[in-house]
Structure formats: C-alpha cells, structure tokens
Amino acid sequence: MTTGLIPGGQPPDPRPSGMRPPHQRGGQGSPHVDDRTRSSVITARAAASFEPVGRSVATARSFVRDTLQGWGFADIVDDAVVLTSELVTNAVVHAGTHADVLCLRSEDGVRIEVADRYPEREIPLQGSPATMGSPDREGGRGLQLCAAIAARWGVDYTSTHKQVWFQLDLPDRPVGTRTAGPSLPADLLPLADSRVRVAVVQIDRAGAISAWNEDAEELFGYAADQVTGKPLTDLAAWPHTPGTGTGIAEALQLSRWEGSYGIRGATGRVTPVYASHLRVRDTDGEPSTVCLLVRDHERAVLQTPSRLPASDTAPADGQSADPFEVFIGSPAPDDLDGLLQRTVERARDMLDGDSAFLLLATDDETELEVRASTGLPSARQRFARVPVEAGPGRYGSARMPAVHEDLLAVPGAVPLLNGTGMRSVVTVPLKVEGRLTGSLGVAAEAPGRYSNEEALRLQFAADRIALAVESARLGELERLRRGSLSFLVEASDLLAGTLDRDQTLALMAQMTVPTLATWCAVYTIADQASDPYLSYVLHEDEELIDGIKSLLSKIAPPDPVPTPGARVWPAPGEAAHEAALRSSMRSLGLTGGPTHQVSSAIGPTLATASAVGGETVVLPLVARNRVIGMLTLGKPTDEHFRQEILELAEDLSRRAALALDNARLYSERTAISQSLQRSLLPPGLPEIDGVEVDVIYRAAGEGNEVGGDFYDVFPISDGAYGFAIGDVCGTGPHAAAVTGLARHALRLLAREGLSGPAVLERLNSAILDEGDRSRFLTLLYGEMRPQADGSAELKVVCAGHPLPLRLRQDGTVEPAAEPQALLGVIEDLELYEQTVTLDPGDVLLCVTDGVTERREGTRMLGDDGLADVLSTCTGLTAGAVAARIMRAVERFASDAPSDDMAILAMRVA
C-alpha cells in the first residue's frame, strides 16, 4: 500500500493521470459531480493505493478510519469505513485490479473516491433498483449501501478507470462541543505528579526531530541541540509484539495515532510514555508529525476517553477491586488474541523479564499451542505445538510450575526458547477447575534471574486470568466452529454445482486460499498405476504462483497415503531453502560463475522460498475407497497451522474428493456417450455432380448429439444416390437406438438393389422384431439419379412423414409426394414410390416434424408456414435455404426447441 496525506490547502485534481469524466453516472439529484464537489473548499486530502489481494480490504478500512479520526470526523467514521470496505472489495476482489482511495476533507463533510482499473465492469444507476441486484448477492451491495447511507454518490468512467465516490455530511452539533465526560469529585480524578509535563516533539518528513520543548528536556534529559536532526527511531523503544505490523516509522506516517511506547533517556533508562501523534503540513505543503508525550501513568492527559456509561467508574481509591483488572488493566480486551497479548506483556513487566509467552492447551490436553509472545521472534512460532508431557529434560510437565535458572545446563528444556538467547525462565500452568488450559512463561537473557518467589507471583497472576482466558478461548472456538459450518455449507454448494473437472480443481484451490492457507497445490492420480500429477497451484499473491509451481515440479510428489488427516510434508520448505541458498551464493560469486546471469533471478527465488518456507501439510483426497489425489496446504516462512484449521481442511478434502471423482466419472460417461452418439451420425455428405446437398441437424436435450430424428445421403450404385430423413417416436437414447438401426438398415438394403418400397417394408419388419424396444417411425426415403440434361430424377416413398416440398424457379411451392402409412405399427404394408423430376434451379426441402410443429402459444408454424418461408428462397443455394428455414423456425417462438429437428435441402444446379 502506498499512501500520502496533505492536510490543508487546495489539492490538484485527485483523479489518476489522464482521468477525466467523459460520462458519469450518479445517485438521484446529482448529475454533475465536479460542479458539486468543487464548490466546497477542500482543506485536506489523503490518498492510498492498494494491491489486488484480499488483505487490502482490511488495510483500506484502517487507512480511512485513521484518516478521518485524524481529521476529527469520528461521527462519520463507521459509515465511511463500511462504504469503503464494500467498494474496495469490488475493486480488488471482484474486478481484480488495484484500488486507489482518495479522501477529501471540506468544511461540511468528507468525500471518498475509490477507483479501479476495470471500466468494462459497468455499474447500474441508482434510479434503476431492479438492476442493482439483491443485497444477498455477491455484487451490488456497495452501491445499495451508498444509496442508503451517503448524502450523495456517483460513478465516473474513463477508458482506463472506473471511480465510485460518495460524500458524507457532518451532523449538526453545538459549536465547540466534541466530546465530554461527567463531572467527578476530586478523589475520583486520575492521579498525576505535582506537575504534568507534556513533551512536544515535532518530526519532519524524513522522521528526524525538528523541535524539542522544555518539558521534553525535563522528561528525557536531552537538550534540544542534542537531539535535533536525529531520527526519533534512535530514541524510541518500540514494543515488538507479534501480529502488529505498525512500527514507529509507520505510526509517524499515519494521519493520527495514539498509544504507548518508550523513550530512551540520556541516562540510558527507558521511560514509558503515552503518545498522541498528529500529522500536519505547513504553508509550503511540507508534512510533519507533532508528537505529544506524557509519562505512561499520566496517560489520562492525552488518552481518548473510552465510550463507557457514566456508571462504569472506578472505586473511590482509584484502584480496581478485581484482581483480573489489576493485572490486565481496564478496559480488558474483548478478543482472545488481544487478551493473550496483554497478558504476556503484563507478565513480562511484572517480573522485569526480557520476553514472555503463553500457550493454550488443545482439547485433549496432550499438546500446547503457542498463541502469544513478546520479546521473541514469535511470528514464526505462532500456532507451533509442544507436548504437555515431554519426558525428562524438556518441560517435564506443564501441569506444575517450573523454574530453570540456566537453560544452557539443560538444553531443550523449553523448546520455544531454543536459539533465542534466553537463559533463565519461569513457567506456570493455567488451570480451570483443576483442568490444564494453558501455560504462561517469562524468560530473561541473564541466568539465575528467577526463583520460587517469582514463580508464586506469576502463578497468582495466572490463577486470576485463567478463567477469563478459557472463556475467551471457548468463545473463539464457538465462532470458529460456526464459521466452519458456514464455510463447509458454502463449499458443498459450490462443489455440487459443477461436474467439470478443471472447474472443480479451481474451486478447491480458491476455497482454500486464503481462508485456510496461504498457498495450496492439488495433485491428482489418474489410476492406481499412475504417479501423482501436479494439476493446480494457487497462492494469494498471483506473482508467486509460477515460482511455487516450478519448485514443486522439481521435487517428488507426496506419497498417496490413504490414512485420513493432515501430515507434515517438509520437502517443499527444504527445497525452497536450498534453492534460495544456491541463488544467494551465486549472486555473491561464491561458486566462481558470473554473477550478472543469476542476480535477476534471486528475487523470485527468495520470494518463493519465503512463500513456502513455513509448515506444509498434505491431506489425501479419498473417494470410493481410492486415493484420487492430494491436497497440499502451505504457510509462509516458519508459520504453523492451527489444529482447528486442519480439521476444517480435512472436512473440505473429503467433500472435494467426492466432487472431483464425480467430475471424473461424469467426464468419462460423457466421452463414452458422445462417442457412441457420433457413431450414429452419417460420416459425411457425398459430392453429387450437378446437385447441391446441405443438412442442418439439432438434437433436443442438453449434451445430446443424436436424438429421434435422423438423415442420410449415400451412394448406391451406377450414379444413383439414396437419401432419407426420418423421425423415431420420442427423444433421447431410446429413440437414438432405433435411429441407428434404421439408418444402417437403409444403407444395407438399398445397396442390395431393392426398390424403395421393398427397402421400407424390410425395415418395418426389422423394427417390429425389436419387440418391446420397437418404436414407430416416420420416414421419407428416395433415390436420386442426375440426368444428362441437368435435371435430376427422384423416386420417393413418404411413409407417414411430413411431405417434401418442391420449390420451382418461379417461386411456387408444391408437395413432391403423397402420404403413406408409417413404419413400426403393422406388419403388412403396401407402399409405392412416386417419380419426381427436378429441373435446374429447383429445390427439394425435406424436414422432420420438429420444424413444422414449432409452437408459440396456440400458434404453430405448420406446413403452410413452412411453404411461405420456402417461397422466399428462390435463387439461394442449398445451404442458404436450410439456414433460412432454421432461422425462421428459431424466431417463430421465444422458447428453446423441445423436439429434434432435421432439415435436408437438395438443389439442382
């Protein structure tokens, strides 16, 4: 994310370069965006750009919240954050582009603009609520919220950007009133020294100190000339807490920040301070940050009052009577991670340690999971697990307090502290009703720092917080379980909605990343004799996908073990580490080769190593008692999976395996069906001298290539050609079976030299021989012989089929045969053939009843309607005639055809 903040003054046009509104869409009553917004004086602006990844939405929310709070617009912060969240989600998730967020402050409110680089994704008008979508849909909620919450909103389009903006007006409030608290007796006021000193420190754009007042000299011991020009980071003792991405440099760039850290004084001691940062700019546009600092215990001077009822006040002595409040402080964090982090920080401070850590027990109390730490490289240890009963030389047992005076004397006694430089440690259990729920520890770099007395103090604190921690943990667990159920229901719906193998693989990966893992890979196994094949790779950062795919292709796939549950697969992390090490050595020229050839590749290699350097687990995809693949989940460097996440992934893998196997079976059945259906169609149309022949065939039903209608044109002998078009009763595979029988029998019988009536009589007997599988059949069969004078002689038998139509050159249309009895009903048929001569330019059109019985309500195309369409086809080729007939049939009714259709057109050239 890149940000910029310039309070005050008139900014340039906030749109991206080259972005001007060629056309606009907006809410009601706001047709001209620029005229309205530019009429107010803009006093400050803040801009930020966010990458197209899911985590950018949370970052954008924080950016808008910090900006508006810094401007003093707390009244509209919540509405602005909600609208920004929806619009940024549309940009980075649904449109898949960068999102540019711009906040503009004026006298009467705030305008926020969110631009993406996907102008083709058009947004509907507010005035058309029917087109804006349902609130339950994935898209469209942001616009409905804008319409409901914002005072004004709209959309600007350019060829490269789409910008959605909204304006929130400030509520009317009395002049000078911003926030107020109740009147309190003197004995209830916060305690402070006889003189409260407020250090005022100004930091320039580069982070260096430019102003240092007298109170700062008294608090920290430095004269102004000693610190002016030095970076504040040289003096700040910033707390290193896991899960907190904001450092002192980042805090100085925010529009407003408030919190605690330390300042190293001239004596070397760290003074805990409470600070309030406000970022401003001077008349020349140069930004700087003003920092107000007081002693930490005097934070009431600067701290923003919490929104508590007037009755929630402290006792008269100024101290909380609750031991939990004494240790944790007030207000207590309302989330588990915040509570655990506050706990380890207070435990470290209570025993004057260098680090502290807290582990929570699993449900079966056999393992402890790292959940919070301070003073340790804990981000890489988060959710790592250690056994509760680890045997001699390790914990011994986490169920009892333990003091280690020197870890060098007992290596591995506390696995979490290996390689951290900590020498002494005290650990105590957290218990609720005699049941182990966790373990709390404090460590120091010096040996011999702790004794049983410190263990008793820490145990007393652990007993005070154990119940609150367990309650918060159970609450988190319940939320996770509810979220897991919702996730699995949605996953099942998505997986059940497709039978396409590739789409199923993509859905598996997209549901896994980033909800369950940072990256994933899916291996598939074609059959028991085949090796696993890498089929799909996905990472939340698309730029790393190719690197991970290349890395995984170079290592052996995991073994297809059918045992349920996740198992650790260390190969990707080891291979990534080795590849990164080799690239680094080559870039330094340690292998003797030229460095310029590999330096360009070291970046992607190191990025790939970091992406897959954490814990990697494999879950088997088992369906119908067979391993059909593996689902591989990975975390970035040194991160671990939570047990709850692995259990959820196991449930997902079972559902995904069944969906993937169903897709495989469907693909196999579809391939077999299509192959069999194609075998029932004629191989192709023959070339007939002097006669054009064209066919259009449409089978009813999704996925059907052959139905109850059929056609055929084939050579017989001595320049004669047979042609047929028929319709078996019904549609689908049963009708297609009779279709195959009829078409192949026609060819065999016609080539035996039989006449048309004899051919159809023998075909009738063959159909009746099918017994219960027989179906009646309408059939038009004929033989064609091109003549020397350019005409063509046809001998036609029409057995219950729609009559063929003859189109003459003068546009007249007439039937070319007489109706006779259909096939497959009675045994004794008396059929006869009729002779028709087609002159040059004449067209013979043969169709099935799917054409003539095309309906729209009570209307039907019928024979007359077909004849009317055919009369307009004079002078067209056979292909053009068939195409015009088909277009007329399709346009006759709005519904999709429900019957098979075949059109055979023959034209004498």
Side-chain angles (χ1 to χ4, degrees):
M1 180 189 79
T2 58
T3 63
L5 180 66
I6 309 177
Q10 180 69 29
D13 193 328
R15 296 180 177 84
S17 177
M19 186 174 181
R20 295 295 182 269
H23 67 283
Q24 301 168 352
R25 288 187 170 186
Q28 295 173 349
S30 55
H32 300 291
V33 177
D34 287 349
D35 293 342
R36 179 184 63 256
T37 57
R38 297 300 180 262
S39 65
S40 301
V41 177
I42 296 175
T43 58
R45 68 189 292 269
S49 181
F50 303 93
E51 298 178 351
V53 294
R55 60 177 177 271
S56 293
V57 179
T59 310
R61 288 197 295 264
S62 299
F63 163 72
V64 172
R65 183 180 296 279
D66 292 338
T67 299
L68 268 59
Q69 287 179 342
W71 289 346
F73 291 168
D75 295 325
I76 59 175
V77 164
D78 292 338
D79 289 345
V81 168
V82 168
L83 298 181
T84 303
S85 178
E86 290 291 338
L87 298 180
V88 173
T89 299
N90 290 341
V92 303
V93 177
H94 301 308
T97 75
H98 284 73
D100 301 318
V101 180
L102 176 67
C103 302
L104 300 174
R105 181 182 69 185
S106 62
E107 298 108 341
D108 54 354
V110 170
R111 170 183 166 120
I112 297 179
E113 302 175 354
V114 179
D116 63 48
R117 289 95 187 268
Y118 189 11
E120 296 86 355
R121 188 181 177 95
E122 189 170 341
I123 291 181
L125 289 171
Q126 180 184 358
S128 304
T131 63
M132 291 181 66
S134 165
D136 298 327
R137 290 181 51 194
E138 185 65 24
R141 292 192 302 262
L143 302 181
Q144 292 185 332
L145 287 174
C146 285
I149 296 175
R152 291 177 292 278
W153 69 279
V155 187
D156 299 342
Y157 290 95
T158 71
S159 59
T160 59
H161 288 75
K162 177 177 78 270
Q163 181 187 84
V164 183
W165 60 266
F166 62 88
Q167 180 153 338
L168 298 172
D169 296 337
L170 291 177
D172 295 333
R173 55 189 177 187
V175 177
T177 300
R178 180 152 176 203
T179 183
S183 299
L184 296 176
D187 56 353
L188 295 183
L189 297 177
L191 293 175
D193 291 346
S194 58
R195 176 182 177 183
V196 176
R197 298 187 180 274
V198 180
V200 180
V201 182
Q202 191 159 2
I203 312 299
D204 61 18
R205 180 197 293 269
I209 299 172
S210 59
W212 185 269
N213 74 341
E214 293 181 359
D215 280 356
E217 295 182 9
E218 291 293 333
L219 284 175
F220 310 122
Y222 294 107
D225 57 355
Q226 292 180 283
V227 294
T228 301
K230 290 186 176 181
L232 181 64
T233 53
D234 291 351
L235 306 180
W238 193 260
H240 298 287
T241 56
T244 303
T246 304
I248 180 65
E250 290 80 4
L252 294 174
Q253 296 297 317
L254 297 174
S255 59
R256 186 174 181 85
W257 185 88
E258 190 176 303
S260 299
Y261 53 91
I263 296 292
R264 296 183 182 89
T267 61
R269 296 183 61 86
V270 174
T271 301
V273 298
Y274 191 84
S276 177
H277 298 173
L278 178 64
R279 193 160 170 81
V280 298
R281 65 169 178 166
D282 58 23
T283 55
D284 297 328
E286 186 68 18
S288 62
T289 302
V290 177
C291 305
L292 305 180
L293 304 98
V294 298
R295 297 181 182 92
D296 192 59
H297 66 275
E298 297 172 342
R299 63 171 58 196
V301 176
L302 300 179
Q303 188 172 25
T304 301
S306 58
R307 297 183 178 180
L308 294 176
S311 59
D312 293 346
T313 56
D317 58 359
Q319 300 291 328
S320 172
D322 186 355
F324 173 79
E325 295 288 349
V326 173
F327 183 69
I328 294 297
S330 180
D334 57 0
D335 63 297
L336 178 61
D337 288 337
L339 177 61
L340 298 183
Q341 193 58 45
R342 181 84 66 87
T343 298
V344 295
E345 291 172 356
R346 295 299 170 88
R348 176 199 60 188
D349 297 341
M350 183 179 70
L351 298 187
D352 194 22
D354 296 312
S355 64
F357 52 89
L358 192 150
L359 302 89
L360 294 183
T362 56
D363 291 340
D364 56 6
E365 300 180 19
T366 60
E367 289 183 305
L368 294 168
E369 187 176 63
V370 180
R371 291 300 302 269
S373 63
T374 182
L376 297 173
S378 56
R380 68 183 184 184
Q381 299 287 349
R382 189 166 170 81
F383 300 121
R385 292 194 168 200
V386 294
V388 172
E389 309 291 350
R394 296 172 68 86
Y395 271 104
S397 175
R399 304 180 188 277
M400 298 293 293
V403 177
H404 295 280
E405 296 184 351
D406 192 350
L407 293 177
L408 294 182
V410 281
V414 183
L416 181 62
L417 301 180
N418 290 345
T420 61
M422 300 296 159
R423 296 283 297 274
S424 55
V425 61
V426 52
T427 62
V428 297
L430 276 70
K431 293 185 177 181
V432 175
E433 297 179 352
R435 181 172 56 86
L436 180 69
T437 60
S439 178
L440 176 63
V442 178
E445 295 180 352
R449 285 280 298 276
Y450 302 115
S451 62
N452 290 337
E453 181 180 352
E454 283 79 12
L456 289 175
R457 292 177 59 197
L458 189 61
Q459 185 67 70
F460 178 81
D463 293 341
R464 303 286 79 75
I465 66 170
L467 184 59
V469 169
E470 179 66 3
S471 176
R473 186 185 75 88
L474 293 176
E476 180 196 64
L477 200 59
E478 179 63 21
R479 288 191 296 272
L480 281 174
R481 286 172 177 168
R482 291 187 179 184
S484 299
L485 290 175
S486 176
F487 172 79
L488 290 174
V489 168
E490 182 179 359
S492 299
D493 289 343
L494 290 173
L495 291 171
T498 179
L499 288 172
D500 181 82
R501 175 184 176 276
D502 294 336
Q503 189 174 359
T504 302
L505 290 173
L507 283 174
M508 290 170 57
Q510 291 166 7
M511 288 184 295
T512 302
V513 176
T515 304
L516 305 182
T518 306
W519 65 272
C520 83
V522 182
Y523 290 84
T524 57
I525 303 175
D527 52 60
Q528 297 298 329
S530 302
D531 293 329
Y533 173 75
L534 182 62
S535 298
Y536 203 92
V537 175
L538 184 66
H539 191 281
E540 62 180 5
D541 185 351
E542 294 182 356
E543 295 181 356
L544 298 177
I545 293 177
D546 291 338
I548 297 176
K549 189 180 298 183
S550 175
L551 177 71
L552 294 178
S553 64
K554 296 177 182 177
I555 62 178
D559 296 329
V561 178
T563 306
R567 54 190 174 91
V568 177
W569 185 33
E574 296 172 355
H577 177 74
E578 294 175 0
L581 182 61
R582 286 196 300 269
S583 296
S584 300
M585 294 179 65
R586 286 198 300 269
S587 68
L588 298 174
L590 299 181
T591 59
T595 60
H596 66 278
Q597 297 180 357
V598 297
S599 59
S600 61
I602 187 173
T605 302
L606 293 178
T608 302
S610 176
V612 303
E615 188 175 45
T616 303
V617 297
V618 178
L619 298 103
L621 298 175
V622 181
R624 299 176 176 90
N625 298 321
R626 187 173 72 89
V627 180
I628 63 171
M630 286 87 70
L631 177 63
T632 303
L633 308 181
K635 287 282 190 180
T637 301
D638 291 329
E639 287 195 17
H640 298 264
F641 285 97
R642 297 187 62 174
Q643 184 62 27
E644 293 83 359
I645 296 297
L646 294 179
E647 292 172 357
L648 181 58
E650 185 177 354
D651 284 341
L652 175 63
S653 68
R654 287 195 292 267
R655 289 165 168 80
L658 187 59
L660 186 61
D661 199 46
N662 287 340
R664 176 188 64 83
L665 294 174
Y666 177 78
S667 299
E668 292 178 356
R669 301 299 187 273
T670 300
I672 294 171
S673 173
Q674 291 175 345
S675 177
L676 292 175
Q677 289 186 66
R678 283 191 290 268
S679 69
L680 300 177
L681 293 173
L685 298 176
E687 295 288 341
I688 304 177
D689 292 338
V691 179
E692 299 173 358
V693 180
D694 207 322
V695 172
I696 295 179
Y697 183 81
R698 301 281 175 85
E702 183 179 357
N704 290 334
E705 295 187 25
V706 178
D709 292 5
F710 68 96
Y711 69 92
D712 201 359
V713 181
F714 54 93
I716 300 176
S717 62
D718 300 332
Y721 293 86
F723 64 91
I725 184 168
D727 183 2
V728 177
C729 174
T731 60
H734 297 293
V738 180
T739 293
L741 169 65
R743 193 179 66 79
H744 289 94
L746 280 176
R747 286 199 172 206
L748 292 173
L749 295 171
R751 288 172 178 170
E752 290 294 325
L754 300 175
S755 63
V759 169
L760 268 58
E761 289 168 2
R762 284 168 171 75
L763 175 60
N764 180 64
S765 299
I767 294 174
L768 293 174
D769 289 343
E770 291 292 306
D772 294 339
R773 295 181 298 176
S774 66
R775 291 174 175 241
F776 64 81
L777 165 68
T778 67
L779 179 64
L780 172 66
Y781 173 74
E783 295 181 3
M784 173 188 294
R785 292 181 181 272
Q787 304 298 309
D789 59 359
S791 63
E793 182 184 80
L794 280 66
K795 295 181 179 180
V796 182
V797 181
C798 185
H801 198 78
L803 299 179
L805 298 179
R806 175 182 182 178
L807 172 64
R808 296 183 182 274
Q809 294 188 59
D810 59 3
T812 59
V813 177
E814 60 185 14
E818 296 177 355
Q820 301 182 58
L822 73 165
L823 308 181
V825 178
I826 59 177
E827 294 185 1
D828 297 328
L829 290 178
E830 295 182 2
L831 302 175
Y832 58 91
E833 62 183 8
Q834 298 171 268
T835 301
V836 180
T837 301
L838 297 181
D839 297 326
D842 287 356
V843 174
L844 184 71
L845 177 66
C846 310
V847 300
T848 57
D849 60 4
V851 174
T852 57
E853 294 179 1
R854 178 75 161 147
R855 292 181 180 276
E856 175 68 17
T858 58
R859 297 186 308 119
M860 186 172 71
L861 180 62
D863 296 333
D864 294 338
L866 180 62
D868 291 341
V869 177
L870 182 60
S871 65
T872 66
C873 298
T874 305
L876 299 182
T877 63
V881 171
R884 178 170 294 186
I885 298 299
M886 179 56 72
R887 283 198 302 272
V889 172
E890 291 175 341
R891 294 173 180 173
F892 187 80
S894 58
D895 295 337
S898 59
D899 195 4
D900 304 327
M901 291 189 294
I903 301 173
L904 171 62
M906 295 183 291
R907 179 179 180 272
V908 179

